[in-house]
């Protein structure tokens, strides 16, 4: 082969209309971007910062800062009502979150495998618990649970509270898992099944890993909704099993909250943050596992 | 998806029928009756006598307020939340789930404590002012801006989370390919990335819009009781056991929103973006 | 997967055990439905020690929630502590059990405060819608705490204190003629606003008709309230963000005790902000009543009897800060006026100043208006707030 050199004019990027953004402009944009990001995160945490400041205030007067004091932190232990409420909250929310995440994932897979029209109808129903006014949901759940009372007279308490929390947390899990399911390649599951993998195993080994980001987001949201619910919890609890929100609302009706409540909120936030950072550092040190949710 | 898994939906369908459909039906029935707690069941009648409630001044204003605040909150949360979610995706931090937990963490503290904390620093004399000497947000307590601020920064995590989960799945090579082909970064984003993340945007918008539409605690506290939303009225009606009025308003909200969701699904060619 | 299933099973098992333990605590119990932080834990300890009855407390933040909680029958409460108008409503709907005074021997050794008797008399004046009869509410209720309402005010406004003492309600409601620039707050409970407006107009706050409703509306609009709040009102007056608000006297005392804790003196605090209690004012009384769901009547009576003991009632008042309801308990409280302990001295002083047993005046407890009237009042307030 002979090579014939042809002198075509070579177009530059500029001639295509491409213009290099000057380096300083890029830098400014970059800085602006991170400033805005941090600003948004700061505003997300603004109320938490105020709570933290209030928890460190030596004075119980919340509109002015006196001096730094840690007295409200050990004082949490001296508040038996607060302690009980905290314990109840943890118990209810952890059970509700775990169960809602597992069930919600299964349900979402089930709903996804329905025909499109059917699925849309059920997904509309799925939105009702999120949309309905809390007090309406709380009331109607209570009435439904009451129908069980002739069979189980002492049903109201932890059990009904967990059931009520499942009622409004499962929809959040489904809402988060569904978009992920739509992104999965349908051939993937078919392939697995054709290869003789049993359906349940295929679901756990093929499908669940593919949608785990959605599952995790759903779990986070379920926990978030559950840990701070007041109205629905109020109507569906019983036998003195009050969670933290019910207790807080009950106190501000007539009395003054102890600053130890602020201390607890701050601790919850701090512990989670520190825990996350520690986990991250430890994991990086070990250089094991690339993904958090690895099986 | 394989029909094999349809059975998994069955328990949830039963659960939804028992705990959503039946109460919903009951609510519709109650809304056309004169039912309240002090009536015995034999006195309950079907009546539309209380339906003029829907056209009373305060109901209309409350509906309008709810719609306006929910829409504005959703839009602002979308703009800021998308931006943050995109930044997180592009950041070099490996474990992004940690970032997401950090984003949603503020919501684990009690809503009343957080909202009253915000109210505190929106007042003229506040705890932050006593430390740093000036008012960070200015004296905005009781204004619509205060309410909007509170709503946006309370519910935004619900926007960031699903958008991020959608963005996270997008193959980075798509973006590179687009850039290699000489498409400007903005165009790449608009033509490639954004459409692919639309599902997250829709989920996020639903999750911000619905609770703001039906909620009432934040507007009540931050407006100092000067702005009434439909949630306030429903809450009050139920609290004072005027169940028929409360149900009527709740049913109307449900119909309006579920109806509009349904219509969007119908007209959407793909039919997949929403549900 | 198997591991995961195991984990889930373990969690569920723990939960079940916890429920089980919760339900199967041995020994008799007293299920109490109460406001938050409204019962001194020391009193609970003493009671449990003396009678061997465990107290299980549930918390609620409004009378309306008490009502729906009892009505729903989801928990068999033995004792509830609702306010005056809710007791009326509950009696009217046959939700309460009559007390057996044989089981309340301490009752013979105490005298209710004058104000308390006034409240019961005023309550008895309303007849039941069910039977048309009037009721002696002491058949059902024993007073727990009581208190007045007043106008908490900020002394940064010159002359406000004098004006209030001289012209009372007018200063608060007539914003055109008195202190047009001062900010005013109102409790976010429609019936409170309505009742306050009627007292300003010289009417009985428990009357209702459309003329009064319109007059009240005009009065409330005239006050030009900048804030409708609950627990935020007292804090905003304290922190110079609000000038006047209609609140529970107990709200003021809460702030007063907190500031005293900071080492300030009563004089200093009073010159910052204070509360004016009009001669004609609203009062409330929280009562111990036994709902029809009660399963342990014996424990309920024992608890009521226990709290009628003046020493115990005073002890309870020590941590709660509302006004005790018997003269004997009041005497114990004010006997601390010469106490060297600053807390006890201040406590006695505050009670003598703000809850004085010899205070003259007309006390109106709110009455249980018919549902339709309450609904009309709620709507009227919402109209004002959506204009």
């Amino acid at each position: 082969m002979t090579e014939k050199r042809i002198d075509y004019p070579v177009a530059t990027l500029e001639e295509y209309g491409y213009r290099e953004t000057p380096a300083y402009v890029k830098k400014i944009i970059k800085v602006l971007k991170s400033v805005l990001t941090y600003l948004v995160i700061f505003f997300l945490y603004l109320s938490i910062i105020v709570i933290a400041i209030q928890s460190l205030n030596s004075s119980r007067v919340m509109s002015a800062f006196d001096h730094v004091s840690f007295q409200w932190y050990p004082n949490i232990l001296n508040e038996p009502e607060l302690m009980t409420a905290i314990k109840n909250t943890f118990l209810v929310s952890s059970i509700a979150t775990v169960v809602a995440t597992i069930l919600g994932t299964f349900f979402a897979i089930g709903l996804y495998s329905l025909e499109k029209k059917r699925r849309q109808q059920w997904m509309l129903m799925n939105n009702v618990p999120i949309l309905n006014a809390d007090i309406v949901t709380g009331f109607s759940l209570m009435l439904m649970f009451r129908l069980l009372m002739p069979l189980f007279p002492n049903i109201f308490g932890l059990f009904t509270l967990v059931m009520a929390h499942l009622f409004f947390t499962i929809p959040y899990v489904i809402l988060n898992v569904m978009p992920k399911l739509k992104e999965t390649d349908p051939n993937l599951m078919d392939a697995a099944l054709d290869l003789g993998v049993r359906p349940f195993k295929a679901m756990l080994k093929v499908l669940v890993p593919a949608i785990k980001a959605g599952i995790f987001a759903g779990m986070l949201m379920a926990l978030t909704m559950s840990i701070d619910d007041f109205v629905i919890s109020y109507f569906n609890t019983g036998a003195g099993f009050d969670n933290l929100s019910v207790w807080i609302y009950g106190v501000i009706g007539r009395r003054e909250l102890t600053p130890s409540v602020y201390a607890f909120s701050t601790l919850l936030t701090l512990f989670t943050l520190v825990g996350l950072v520690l986990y991250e550092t430890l994991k990086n040190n070990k250089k094991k596992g690339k993904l958090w949710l690895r099986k | 998806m394989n029909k094999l898994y349809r059975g998994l939906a069955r328990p949830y369908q039963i659960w939804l029928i028992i705990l959503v459909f039946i109460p919903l039906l009951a609510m519709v029935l109650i809304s056309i009756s004169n039912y309240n707690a002090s009536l015995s069941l034999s006195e309950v009648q079907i009546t539309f006598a209380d339906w003029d409630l829907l056209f009373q001044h305060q109901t209309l204003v409350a509906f309008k307020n709810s719609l306006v605040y929910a829409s504005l909150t959703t839009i602002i949360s979308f703009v800021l939340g998308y931006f943050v979610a995109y930044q997180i995706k592009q950041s070099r931090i490996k474990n992004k789930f940690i970032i997401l937990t950090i984003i949603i963490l503020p919501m684990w503290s009690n809503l009343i404590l957080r909202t009253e904390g915000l109210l505190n620093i929106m007042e003229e004399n506040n705890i932050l002012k006593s430390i740093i000497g000036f008012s960070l947000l200015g004296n905005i307590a009781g204004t619509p801006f205060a309410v909007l601020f509170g709503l946006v920064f309370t519910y935004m995590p619900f926007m960031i989370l699903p958008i991020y989960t959608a963005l996270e799945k997008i193959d980075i090579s798509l973006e590179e390919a687009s850039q290699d082909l000489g498409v400007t970064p903005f165009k790449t984003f608009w033509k490639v990335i954004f459409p692919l993340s639309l599902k997250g945007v829709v989920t996020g918008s639903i999750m911000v819009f619905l609770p703001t539409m039906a909620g009432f605690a934040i507007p009540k506290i931050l407006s100092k009781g000067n702005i009434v939303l439909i949630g306030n009225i429903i809450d009050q009606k139920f609290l004072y056991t005027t169940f028929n009025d409360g149900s009527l308003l709740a049913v109307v909200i449900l119909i309006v929103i579920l109806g509009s969701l349904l219509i969007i699904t119908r007209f959407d060619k793909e039919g997949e973006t929403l549900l | 997967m198997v591991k995961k299933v195991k984990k889930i099973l373990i969690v569920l098992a723990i939960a079940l055990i916890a429920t089980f333990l919760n339900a199967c605590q041995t020994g008799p119990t007293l299920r109490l439905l109460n406001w938050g932080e409204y019962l001194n834990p020391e009193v609970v300890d003493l009671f449990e020690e003396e009678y061997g009855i465990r107290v299980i407390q549930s918390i609620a933040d409004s009378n309306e929630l008490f009502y729906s909680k009892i009505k729903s029958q989801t928990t068999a409460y033995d004792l509830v502590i609702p306010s005056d108008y809710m007791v009326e409503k509950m009696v009217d709907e046959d939700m309460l059990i009559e007390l057996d005074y044989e089981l309340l021997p301490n009752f013979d050794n105490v005298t209710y405060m004058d104000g308390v008797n006034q409240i019961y008399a005023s309550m008895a004046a309303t007849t039941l819608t069910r039977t048309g009869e009037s009721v002696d509410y002491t058949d059902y209720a024993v007073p727990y705490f009581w208190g007045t309402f007043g106008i908490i005010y900020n002394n940064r406004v010159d002359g406000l204190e004098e004006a209030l003492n001289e012209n009372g309600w007018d200063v608060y409601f007539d914003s055109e003629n008195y202190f047009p620039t001062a900010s005013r707050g109102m409790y976010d409970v429609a019936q409170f606003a309505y009742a306050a407006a009627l007292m300003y107009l010289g009417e009985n706050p428990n009357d209702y008709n459309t003329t009064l409703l319109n007059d009240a509306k005009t009065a409330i609009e005239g006050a030009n309230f900048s804030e409708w709040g609950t627990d935020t009102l007292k804090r905003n007056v304290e922190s110079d963000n609000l000038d006047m608000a209609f609140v529970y006297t107990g709200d003021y005392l809460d702030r007063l005790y907190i500031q005293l804790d900071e080492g300030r003196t009563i004089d200093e605090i009073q010159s910052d902000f204070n509360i004016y209690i009009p001669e004609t004012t609203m009062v409330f009384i929280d009562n111990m009543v036994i709902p029809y769901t009660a399963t342990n009547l014996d424990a309920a009576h024992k608890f009521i009897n226990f709290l009628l003991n003046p020493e115990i009632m005073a002890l309870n008042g020590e941590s709660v800060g509302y006004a005790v309801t018997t003269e004997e308990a009041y005497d114990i409280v004010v006997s601390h006026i010469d106490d060297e302990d600053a807390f006890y001295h201040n406590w006695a002083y505050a009670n003598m100043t703000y809850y004085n047993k010899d205070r003259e005046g007309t006390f109106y407890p709110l009455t249980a208006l018919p549902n339709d009237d309450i609904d009309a009042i709620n709507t009227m307030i919402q109209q004002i707030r959506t204009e």
Side-chain angles (χ1 to χ4, degrees):
Chain A
M1 274 213 193
T2 49
E3 242 182 73
K4 211 173 182 186
R5 201 166 178 276
I6 308 166
D7 251 350
Y8 288 124
V10 178
T12 59
L13 280 171
E14 282 75 14
E15 279 165 322
Y16 281 116
Y18 182 82
R19 254 174 294 144
E20 181 77 39
T21 327
Y24 72 93
V25 176
K26 271 187 180 167
K27 198 154 193 183
I28 288 173
I29 289 176
K30 209 178 159 194
V31 170
L32 277 180
K33 272 183 181 170
S34 35
V35 167
L36 189 59
T37 310
Y38 284 117
L39 202 64
V40 170
I41 291 173
F42 170 74
F43 279 135
L44 286 176
Y45 271 80
L46 188 56
S47 53
I48 301 296
I49 295 169
V50 177
I51 289 177
I53 294 173
Q54 284 166 338
S55 78
L56 289 174
N57 192 354
S58 64
S59 159
R60 295 185 59 164
V61 179
M62 268 178 297
S63 45
F65 197 80
D66 196 355
H67 64 265
V68 176
S69 152
F70 288 94
Q71 56 173 316
W72 305 117
Y73 286 81
N75 189 49
I76 297 174
L77 299 172
N78 300 331
E79 305 273 354
E81 287 190 17
L82 174 63
M83 284 299 288
T84 318
I86 291 172
K87 267 186 278 180
N88 291 346
T89 305
F90 275 131
L91 192 61
V92 171
S93 296
S94 50
I95 298 175
T97 308
V98 171
V99 178
T101 310
I102 296 168
L103 291 183
T105 307
F106 288 164
F107 293 160
I109 293 173
L111 288 178
Y112 180 58
S113 51
L114 295 176
E115 294 145 35
K116 201 173 112 188
K117 211 167 177 188
R118 266 280 136 90
R119 185 206 310 163
Q120 285 174 355
Q121 284 163 358
W122 287 106
M123 284 305 283
L124 269 184
M125 287 274 270
N126 185 58
N127 280 336
V128 174
I130 304 178
L131 165 65
N132 218 341
D134 278 359
I135 197 161
V136 181
T137 310
F139 240 96
S140 44
L141 279 180
M142 179 193 76
L143 294 178
M144 297 311 279
F145 291 148
R146 240 183 70 185
L147 297 177
L148 295 172
M149 275 185 85
L151 289 174
F152 312 95
N154 288 321
I155 193 175
F156 274 84
L158 178 63
F159 178 75
T160 45
L161 201 53
V162 169
M163 292 298 275
H165 278 225
L166 285 180
F167 179 74
F168 64 83
T169 46
I170 289 178
Y172 278 98
V173 176
I174 294 182
L175 211 52
N176 276 283
V177 170
M178 198 54 87
K180 285 271 130 185
L181 278 172
K182 285 177 193 156
E183 282 164 14
T184 52
D185 186 349
N187 297 326
L188 205 65
M189 282 304 282
D190 290 341
L193 292 170
D194 288 347
L195 287 171
V197 183
R198 273 179 298 173
F200 191 67
K201 205 169 178 192
M203 182 174 82
L204 292 178
K205 295 281 173 190
V206 181
L207 200 54
V208 170
I211 57 173
K212 75 181 168 219
I215 297 176
F216 185 80
M219 185 179 89
L220 261 184
M221 230 162 262
L223 176 63
T224 309
M225 297 318 291
S226 163
I227 209 165
D228 187 31
D229 174 73
F230 163 61
V231 182
I232 299 174
S233 302
Y234 178 79
F235 285 108
N236 291 288
T237 184
F241 201 89
D242 291 341
N243 66 8
L244 190 60
S245 331
V246 171
W247 185 80
I248 288 177
Y249 279 80
V251 174
I252 57 178
R254 274 288 160 82
R255 300 294 317 285
E256 194 69 8
L257 275 178
T258 156
S260 290
V261 183
Y262 300 92
F264 168 72
S265 274
T266 314
L267 280 182
L268 179 70
T269 313
L270 273 184
F271 266 127
T272 316
L273 282 179
V274 170
L276 285 175
V277 172
L278 268 183
Y279 174 88
E280 182 69 5
T281 351
L282 280 178
K283 204 190 63 185
N284 283 351
N285 284 350
K286 283 186 181 169
K287 296 248 165 186
K288 265 186 181 173
K290 285 165 211 151
L291 277 165
W292 198 5
L293 281 183
R294 206 173 185 102
K295 288 235 166 62
Chain B
M1 172 70 85
N2 205 292
K3 286 175 187 159
L4 277 172
Y5 299 111
R6 282 189 187 169
L8 283 174
R10 197 41 50 84
Y12 192 55
Q13 289 168 324
I14 295 169
W15 163 277
L16 283 178
I17 286 173
I18 296 176
L19 295 181
V20 177
F21 194 68
I22 295 178
L24 217 56
L25 212 64
M27 251 170 60
V28 174
L29 287 178
I30 290 171
S31 69
I32 55 170
S33 74
N34 59 347
Y35 181 60
N36 63 49
S38 43
L39 287 180
S40 64
L41 272 180
S42 55
E43 294 172 286
V44 176
Q45 297 166 338
I46 299 285
T47 168
F48 292 88
D50 291 320
W51 277 44
D52 65 324
L53 170 75
L54 287 182
F55 305 101
Q56 280 171 14
H57 172 74
Q58 79 278 7
T59 315
L60 294 175
V61 172
F63 257 119
K64 191 203 78 190
N65 281 345
S66 286
L67 266 176
V68 168
Y69 281 99
S71 314
L72 284 177
T73 305
T74 310
I75 294 168
I76 299 172
S77 302
F78 159 65
V79 173
L80 291 177
Y82 199 103
F83 174 78
V84 171
Y86 195 69
Q87 295 302 312
I88 296 173
K89 178 190 154 65
Q90 289 193 322
S91 69
R92 283 193 207 104
I93 305 147
K94 269 187 212 148
N95 196 335
K96 282 156 185 170
F97 291 119
I98 286 189
I99 301 287
L100 290 180
T101 313
I102 290 173
I103 295 289
I104 209 166
L105 189 55
M107 298 195 85
W108 295 8
S109 295
N110 185 275
L111 181 71
I112 289 291
L113 296 187
R114 277 184 292 140
T115 314
E116 287 199 347
L118 277 183
L119 179 72
N120 186 333
I121 58 167
M122 288 171 174
E123 296 279 3
E124 188 187 349
N125 300 303
N126 62 58
I127 192 163
L128 218 52
K129 193 179 173 188
S130 73
I131 298 172
I132 57 177
F134 62 92
S135 230
L136 187 71
L137 299 171
N139 181 13
I140 58 168
T143 63
F145 177 72
V147 175
L148 211 53
F149 183 93
L151 286 173
V152 166
F153 288 105
T154 303
Y155 287 110
M156 202 196 294
F158 282 2
M159 185 67 90
I160 299 179
L161 224 56
I163 292 182
Y164 171 75
T165 11
L167 283 174
E168 185 240 359
K169 247 283 146 61
I170 298 171
D171 200 335
I172 192 95
S173 53
L174 274 175
E175 213 173 334
E176 287 167 1
S178 162
Q179 303 240 8
D180 287 349
L181 290 169
V183 183
T184 61
F186 178 75
K187 234 177 172 176
T188 305
F189 170 78
W190 192 241
K191 294 274 176 194
V192 180
I193 307 292
F194 186 72
L196 285 172
S197 63
L198 211 57
K199 275 173 200 148
V201 174
V202 173
T203 312
S205 301
I206 293 176
M207 277 195 289
V208 172
F209 189 85
L210 298 192
T212 21
M213 178 83 194
F216 60 90
I218 299 172
K220 186 169 152 179
I221 295 174
L222 292 181
S223 77
K224 295 184 167 194
N226 290 313
I227 294 170
V228 176
L229 299 200
I230 200 69
N232 294 70
I233 298 187
I234 295 178
D235 192 56
Q236 198 179 49
K237 295 283 183 190
F238 265 86
L239 197 59
Y240 287 92
T241 64
T242 324
F243 296 129
N244 55 343
D245 289 353
S247 301
L248 179 60
L249 294 176
V251 167
V252 170
I253 295 195
L254 279 173
I255 291 175
V256 169
I257 294 194
L258 292 183
S260 49
L261 284 181
L262 201 64
I263 290 170
I264 295 173
T265 342
R266 282 279 149 80
F267 283 94
D268 188 13
K269 270 178 199 156
E270 275 182 75
E272 285 287 310
T273 46
L274 251 187
L275 299 165
Chain C
M1 185 60 202
V2 178
K3 262 187 198 168
K4 216 175 182 181
V5 170
K6 264 188 190 164
K7 266 186 208 162
I8 298 162
L9 285 179
I10 290 169
V11 172
L12 288 178
I14 292 171
L16 279 178
I17 291 165
T19 340
F20 190 69
L21 286 180
N22 237 23
C24 293
Q25 289 262 11
T26 48
T29 54
L30 173 80
R31 294 186 192 278
L32 170 66
L33 181 58
N34 194 4
W35 307 78
E37 299 267 52
Y38 210 48
L39 174 60
N40 190 340
E42 282 178 51
V43 172
V44 177
D45 290 346
L46 286 173
F47 178 77
E48 291 184 339
E49 215 170 281
E50 185 158 342
Y51 296 102
I53 299 171
R54 219 162 49 88
V55 178
I56 302 173
Q57 234 190 132
S58 296
I59 300 298
D61 74 331
S62 74
N63 281 301
E64 284 67 31
L65 288 180
F66 282 154
Y67 173 84
S68 55
K69 199 81 184 182
I70 296 171
K71 201 96 193 184
S72 73
Q73 299 178 7
T74 52
T75 298
Y77 290 108
D78 299 311
L79 197 65
V80 193
I81 308 190
S83 308
D84 35 62
Y85 72 97
M86 193 45 76
V87 174
E88 285 180 23
K89 190 175 160 95
M90 286 172 175
V91 170
D92 205 358
E93 296 182 20
D94 212 5
M95 294 163 68
L96 301 183
I97 291 174
E98 275 194 47
L99 298 174
D100 182 355
Y101 276 87
E102 298 274 300
L103 298 173
L104 305 175
N106 281 342
F107 177 77
D108 297 331
N109 309 323
V110 296
T111 324
Y112 291 161
M113 303 271 282
D114 258 355
V116 173
N117 283 325
Q118 251 194 67
I119 296 174
Y120 281 132
S122 150
M123 283 163 69
T126 44
T127 55
L128 295 186
T129 48
R130 189 158 45 89
T131 58
E133 290 164 5
S134 65
V135 177
D136 181 1
Y137 285 91
T138 54
D139 288 349
Y140 297 93
V142 164
Y144 185 74
F145 283 117
W146 73 299
T148 47
F149 283 74
I151 299 164
I152 189 172
Y153 59 89
N154 194 321
N155 270 325
R156 69 174 171 163
V157 182
D158 278 338
L160 183 58
E161 183 162 51
E162 295 75 24
L164 274 169
N165 283 317
E166 207 167 301
N167 299 311
W169 285 110
D170 294 0
V171 179
Y172 179 61
F173 271 101
D174 187 353
S175 70
E176 213 167 284
N177 294 313
Y178 298 93
F179 307 98
T181 54
S183 52
R184 293 161 164 85
M186 175 49 93
Y187 235 88
D188 191 11
V189 175
Q191 204 185 349
F192 286 10
Y194 175 77
L198 288 194
M199 286 186 289
Y200 154 66
L201 295 169
E203 305 281 346
N204 180 335
N206 289 321
D207 284 347
Y208 175 85
N209 59 50
T210 38
T211 327
L212 287 178
L213 187 70
N214 286 329
D215 292 350
K217 189 178 180 203
T218 317
I220 294 168
E221 282 165 344
N224 201 9
F225 293 121
S226 64
E227 175 168 0
W228 297 81
T230 48
D231 57 317
T232 50
L233 293 171
K234 53 184 170 185
R235 284 204 294 272
N236 275 337
V237 172
E238 178 192 36
S239 57
D240 283 348
N241 289 316
L242 189 67
D243 296 324
M244 271 183 274
F246 180 63
V247 294
Y248 289 93
T249 304
D251 279 339
Y252 174 70
L253 292 185
D254 248 336
R255 304 318 301 171
L256 182 81
Y257 292 135
I258 284 169
Q259 295 232 354
L260 285 168
D261 262 1
E262 307 298 310
R264 303 187 68 201
T265 67
I266 286 204
D267 283 345
E268 283 171 3
I269 302 163
Q270 283 176 334
S271 63
D272 265 3
F273 66 110
N274 205 339
I275 189 161
Y276 161 75
I277 302 166
E279 203 143 294
T280 302
T281 190
M282 226 162 86
V283 284
F284 78 94
I285 187 164
D286 287 332
N287 307 271
M288 293 178 273
V289 296
I290 306 181
Y292 65 135
T293 54
T295 52
N296 197 345
L297 290 172
D298 180 54
H301 280 94
K302 276 183 177 143
F303 190 84
I304 296 174
N305 190 48
F306 192 64
L307 272 154
L308 276 172
N309 179 344
E311 307 253 338
I312 299 294
M313 188 178 271
L315 177 67
N316 199 22
E318 208 178 299
S319 87
V320 176
Y322 279 80
V324 291
T325 50
T326 63
E327 295 198 350
E328 290 73 13
Y330 176 84
D331 289 340
I332 295 178
V333 176
V334 298
S335 72
H336 286 293
I337 191 73
D338 297 321
D339 206 304
E340 285 183 10
D341 186 321
F343 169 79
Y344 284 102
H345 165 78
N346 288 329
W347 182 41
Y349 177 82
N351 269 277
M352 289 166 79
T353 313
Y354 296 103
Y355 288 139
N356 199 304
K357 113 176 139 174
D358 301 321
R359 171 184 288 280
E360 297 282 320
T362 320
F363 296 150
Y364 286 113
L366 287 185
T367 191
L369 290 172
N371 258 342
D372 289 345
D373 299 354
I374 294 279
D375 198 42
I377 293 170
N378 285 340
T379 305
M380 179 267 287
I381 297 293
Q382 272 155 8
Q383 274 167 359
I384 292 174
R385 288 155 67 168
T386 49
E387 258 156 26

